[in-house]
Amino acid sequence: MTSGEAAVQWLSIGAVADRTGLSVHALRFYEREGLLVGPVERTSGGRRRYTSFDVDWLLICVKLRSSGMPLADLKHFAELVRQGPGNESERLRLLDAHQRRVDAQIQALEECRSVIAWKVGVYAEHLARGEAGGLWDPTA
């Protein structure tokens, strides 16, 4: 190691699974699908070795997927990052489009929550008054 080189802390696939919440199977899938920014290093015995950078990237991937980003978009985003500087505006377009989709989903869920809260109130009020019989009763 040269004097300017920091020591790399290598992590096993199990440690990365613990830190990211992804299964070992999912981590292998992410690697196979080209969703990681860099190649996963291997020990002389063929075991995967990850870095903290890999973990940070995977945590971003987890949030993007959890928020509904299509696999194809995530793959494209990873490809753009791997290409390095010069395509930041394309990355921004991709992330901005995803943010708009998430915002629309949140708005739709808030509308659903409002209807549910109203129905909870109706049922709670009727039950408190002892008048719950017949509420949405298809046999009445």
Side-chain angles (χ1 to χ4, degrees):
M1 176 165 54
T2 64
S3 60
E5 210 177 293
V8 174
Q9 179 188 4
W10 296 106
L11 302 164
S12 69
I13 195 168
V16 173
D18 288 343
R19 290 183 185 196
T20 62
L22 293 168
S23 68
V24 168
H25 177 75
L27 288 168
R28 290 181 184 126
F29 173 80
Y30 271 47
E31 181 182 356
R32 202 171 42 251
E33 291 297 311
L35 298 173
L36 297 171
V37 174
V40 175
E41 298 288 329
R42 303 281 181 141
T43 66
S44 58
R47 293 189 177 274
R48 289 170 174 82
R49 299 188 319 173
Y50 296 86
T51 66
S52 60
F53 176 81
D54 295 321
V55 171
D56 292 344
W57 173 256
L58 285 163
L59 289 171
I60 292 169
C61 291
V62 166
K63 292 301 182 194
L64 292 173
R65 286 293 292 151
S66 294
S67 62
M69 179 178 270
L71 201 54
D73 286 356
L74 183 55
K75 193 172 189 173
H76 184 59
F77 184 54
E79 182 181 311
L80 291 171
V81 172
R82 270 193 305 276
Q83 290 172 6
N87 59 25
E88 291 82 1
S89 61
E90 191 173 352
R91 294 183 210 178
L92 175 60
R93 279 192 298 276
L94 192 146
L95 291 171
D96 187 53
H98 181 62
Q99 183 176 356
R100 286 193 308 272
R101 286 191 303 269
V102 169
D103 288 343
Q105 291 171 345
I106 290 170
Q107 181 179 349
L109 284 172
E110 286 174 345
E111 291 169 7
C112 293
R113 182 176 56 189
S114 177
V115 169
I116 293 166
W118 169 71
K119 279 313 278 180
V120 165
V122 167
Y123 275 80
E125 182 181 319
H126 279 81
L127 285 169
R129 289 193 317 240
E131 302 172 357
L135 277 175
W136 292 84
D137 184 354
T139 63

